[in-house]
Amino acid sequence: MKKVITYGTYDLLHFGHIRLLERAKELGDYLVVGVTSDGFDKIRGKINVQQSLMERIEAVKATGIADEIIVEEYEGQKIDDIRRLGIDVFTVGSDWVGYFDYLKEYCEVVYLDRTKGISSTEIRQKDRNVRLGFVGGSAHNILHKYYTESLVVNGAEVAGIYNMGQTLETLRDEPVQMFDDYDSLFNSCDALYIVSKPELHYEHVKKALLAGKHVLCEAPMALRMEEIEELEALAKEKKLILMDAIKTAYATAYNRLLLIVKSGRIGDVVSVDATCTSLSKFENKEDYVAKNWNSICAWGPTALLPVFQLLGTNYEKKNRKSLYFDREKKFDSFTRISFDYPKAVANIKVGVGAKSEGELVVSGTKGYVYVPAPWWKTDYFEVRYENQEKNKRYFYQLDGEGIRYELSAFIKAISSKTQNRFIDFPVSKEIVRVIDDFYQE
Ligand code: C2G
C-alpha cells in the first residue's frame, strides 16, 4: 500500500484545497492529512486564521478524501510523521517548491500545481477590510509601533491618523494620511485605536462609539468609574466592540502562564508581585510632566492585569503609597499598591521616575512562577519548586510585542461581532477603580 501525506491549515476550506487533496490521494492508496494546530500556525506567522483547529479538521473530514487526519504541532514533525507512519510520498502545493526538499531523504517529495485564483486570504478579505484610524499625539512612540504592526495584520487597513496637532517625527516618512481633526477621521474609518492622553480617553472613546466606531483604547480607557460604566453600556447598546489595549494580555506566554496557574500547578495562589518601570528622557520638569503619562496610568493597567486576572477583583483592602514629581498635577514618579485578599496578597510597583527589576512572581502553596524582566513582553517563564529537579521552563513565540495579536483579536472581534475574551469588563473596570481612587484620594 502506497501511503501519501500532505499538510495544511485549511482555513475556510475552498476549491483549491479540495483539488489539492484529490490529487494527493491519487498519488497513492492511503492519504494522511496533517492539519496545523493554532499554536503552530502562530509560530510560523499565520496569525489570521479564522477557524479553530476543530472546525478545520471537521471541514477536511467532511470532504471524505482523507483516510486519516493528524494534527501538526511542531517544527520538524513532518520527519517524525513520515517515519512513524511509514509514508511513501509527501506532497504539498507548488507555493512551497524547494522548501521541503529536505524530506527527500525520507520519502518521495511531490509539489502539485497550486490552483490559481483562490486563497483563504482572499476569502477572508472578501468581507471588506476593517479601516483603522489612529488617534494619538503624545510623546509615546507606541503609535508608530501600532501603525507598523497593523500593516502585517490581515483584514486591517490603515485609514489615517489624527495626531492632535502634534508632529509625529517617527511617522513623518510613512505614506499615511494625517487628519487635522477627530471628526474628519471618522468619515474614513470603521474602528479606532486610541492612544491620546489618559484624561482625554473617555471623551475620545465616547465620541467614537456615538459615531458608530469600534474602539481599541490604550488602558486606562477612562479615569472615573462612572465613565467606564457609561462606555461599557454605550458599546453594548450600539453593538460595538470596545477593547482595552494592554498588549501583554494578548501575548502567548502570558496567556499560558494564566492557564498553568489556574490549573493548579503551583497550588493555591498566595501572592502576585508585579513590577513595571521605565525611564524616559528628562530635560525639564514641566515639559516632562506635560508630555509623559504618570506612573499609575503608564504602568498601572499592565501591573494590575495579572493581579485581577489571577486573584479576581474582590480584595478586602488596598493600600497605596506614591512618590511624586508634581503632586499638584498628580504626576507620580513611583507608586506601590498592596492588596489584601481573603487568602492571598498582591503587590504592584510602577514607576516612570525610578528603575527596578521588572519581574513578575506568582507564588503558590506548591511552587511559584517566575517571569524575568521585562515580564510584560516576555516569551519565556519558569515554574519553580522546592525540589529544583521539578522546575520547568516554558518558551513561546512573541511577535511585535503582542501588539500584532492584539490588533488581530480586535479585527476578529469586529468581524465575529463578539467582545473579546482576553480582558473581561470586570477587570477593565477594577483597573479604572484603582486609578480613580488614585486621583480622588
Ligand atoms: N493550495 C492549493 N491551491 C490554492 C490554495 C492552497 O493547491 N489555491 C494548497 C497549498 O499549497 C497546500 C494546501 O492547499 O498544499 C493547504 O494550504 P494552506 O491551508 O494554505 O496551508 P499551508 O500554509 O500551505 O501549509 O505545514 C503546513 C504546510 O507546510 C502547508
Side-chain angles (χ1 to χ4, degrees):
M1 187 173 66
K2 203 169 176 188
K3 278 180 129 181
V4 183
I5 197 163
T6 189
Y7 296 86
T9 307
Y10 306 105
D11 190 27
L12 309 168
L13 196 88
H14 57 65
F15 179 61
H17 295 139
I18 295 171
R19 279 206 55 209
L20 189 286
L21 293 175
E22 283 169 350
R23 286 174 294 154
K25 176 79 178 236
E26 283 165 13
L27 293 173
D29 313 298
Y30 187 88
L31 178 66
V32 182
V33 179
V35 182
T36 50
S37 71
D38 300 329
F40 184 53
D41 269 331
K42 214 169 182 186
I43 288 171
R44 62 190 196 113
K46 270 197 163 179
I47 58 163
N48 298 301
V49 177
Q50 305 253 304
Q51 292 181 301
S52 69
L53 173 62
M54 280 317 285
E55 289 171 311
R56 294 182 285 114
I57 289 176
E58 284 304 323
V60 171
K61 209 174 181 178
T63 64
I65 306 168
D67 295 291
E68 186 177 339
I69 297 175
I70 59 169
V71 176
E72 185 183 25
E73 292 177 282
Y74 56 89
E75 193 82 53
Q77 186 185 321
K78 291 185 176 78
I79 298 176
D80 248 4
D81 292 339
I82 289 167
R83 283 186 176 154
R84 187 171 52 88
L85 301 167
I87 299 294
D88 303 291
V89 184
F90 165 88
T91 187
V92 69
S94 52
D95 41 329
W96 293 99
V97 169
Y99 195 85
F100 292 111
D101 285 356
Y102 70 92
L103 295 174
K104 284 184 179 160
E105 204 181 302
Y106 309 93
C107 69
E108 190 186 336
V109 173
V110 178
Y111 298 103
L112 292 168
D113 280 344
R114 196 182 150 87
T115 306
K116 292 194 178 65
I118 183 153
S119 75
S120 308
T121 310
E122 279 166 37
I123 298 178
R124 282 193 291 259
Q125 282 172 352
K126 243 206 228 136
D127 321 323
R128 196 169 51 85
N129 274 344
V130 173
R131 296 168 307 162
L132 274 179
F134 292 78
V135 183
S138 59
H140 284 242
N141 66 0
I142 189 90
L143 192 64
H144 189 225
K145 282 188 192 166
Y146 273 80
Y147 166 75
T148 324
E149 285 299 309
S150 68
L151 302 177
V152 299
V153 173
N154 250 331
E157 188 181 297
V158 180
I161 298 175
Y162 163 52
N163 59 354
M164 300 167 62
Q166 296 185 21
T167 37
L168 295 174
E169 286 300 327
T170 50
L171 282 165
R172 211 175 33 200
D173 300 327
E174 300 287 348
V176 58
Q177 192 177 351
M178 293 293 182
F179 288 85
D180 296 330
D181 64 276
Y182 198 30
D183 295 312
S184 57
L185 176 64
F186 285 164
N187 300 327
S188 335
C189 71
D190 312 302
L192 291 166
Y193 165 69
I194 299 174
V195 59
S196 51
K197 300 203 80 182
E199 59 270 27
L200 300 173
H201 284 172
Y202 164 69
E203 281 304 328
H204 280 149
V205 174
K206 188 173 169 181
K207 223 170 165 186
L209 292 174
L210 286 171
K213 310 296 168 191
H214 304 283
V215 175
L216 173 66
C217 180
E218 203 58 39
M221 65 171 89
L223 297 182
R224 303 302 309 264
M225 206 47 189
E226 58 268 26
E227 291 173 349
I228 190 168
E229 276 165 356
E230 184 191 337
L231 296 176
E232 181 188 10
L234 192 56
K236 207 168 164 195
E237 179 200 321
K238 298 220 153 222
K239 297 193 170 57
L240 292 166
I241 302 298
L242 174 59
M243 267 170 61
D244 257 321
I246 305 178
K247 60 186 191 305
T248 308
Y250 304 85
T252 315
Y254 175 75
N255 273 290
R256 296 295 156 88
L257 177 158
L258 292 183
L259 296 177
I260 284 177
V261 172
K262 285 183 177 170
S263 67
R265 286 281 300 282
I266 57 165
D268 298 328
V269 178
V270 300
S271 168
V272 177
D273 296 87
T275 302
C276 303
T277 65
S278 57
L279 279 176
S280 44
K281 249 204 270 154
F282 179 85
E283 270 149 21
N284 78 72
K285 186 170 157 181
E286 230 151 79
D287 206 35
Y288 189 85
V289 169
K291 278 194 182 150
N292 288 280
W293 290 23
N294 59 3
S295 301
I296 192 78
C297 286
W299 285 116
T302 304
L304 291 168
L305 192 69
V307 175
F308 295 148
Q309 289 193 318
L310 287 169
L311 295 173
T313 51
N314 293 324
Y315 48 88
E316 295 169 327
K317 218 167 73 188
K318 142 170 140 290
N319 191 297
R320 178 179 61 84
K321 169 78 185 170
S322 294
L323 309 175
Y324 292 92
F325 252 143
D326 189 327
R327 194 179 250 281
E328 241 162 70
K329 295 207 168 96
K330 288 276 179 186
F331 198 105
D332 57 329
S333 54
F334 185 78
T335 285
R336 189 262 300 133
I337 308 178
S338 51
F339 297 86
D340 290 0
Y341 283 81
K343 289 184 176 170
V345 296
N347 273 291
I348 68 153
K349 283 191 270 182
V350 293
V352 295
K355 194 70 199 158
S356 182
E357 185 72 9
E359 60 188 18
L360 170 67
V361 181
V362 183
S363 318
T365 50
K366 291 186 184 153
Y368 69 97
V369 178
Y370 171 71
V371 195
W375 73 265
W376 54 89
K377 48 179 172 185
T378 193
D379 52 0
Y380 159 77
F381 62 85
E382 285 184 44
V383 179
R384 294 177 176 173
Y385 297 97
E386 186 69 43
N387 175 1
Q388 291 181 18
E389 282 170 17
K390 281 172 64 193
N391 288 4
K392 243 185 150 151
R393 296 163 173 224
Y394 294 83
F395 298 88
Y396 301 93
Q397 182 91 358
L398 181 73
D399 295 310
E401 295 181 27
I403 296 171
R404 197 173 299 185
Y405 310 138
E406 179 177 343
L407 287 169
S408 171
F410 184 45
I411 302 295
K412 263 189 201 167
I414 293 172
S415 47
S416 68
K417 301 187 175 65
T418 33
Q419 296 287 356
N420 90 99
R421 61 190 165 76
F422 289 89
I423 308 172
D424 294 330
F425 258 110
V427 169
S428 300
K429 282 194 281 196
E430 204 53 43
I431 289 173
V432 170
R433 190 196 305 279
V434 171
I435 293 173
D436 192 347
D437 288 348
F438 168 90
Y439 283 99
Q440 302 311 315
E441 278 166 13

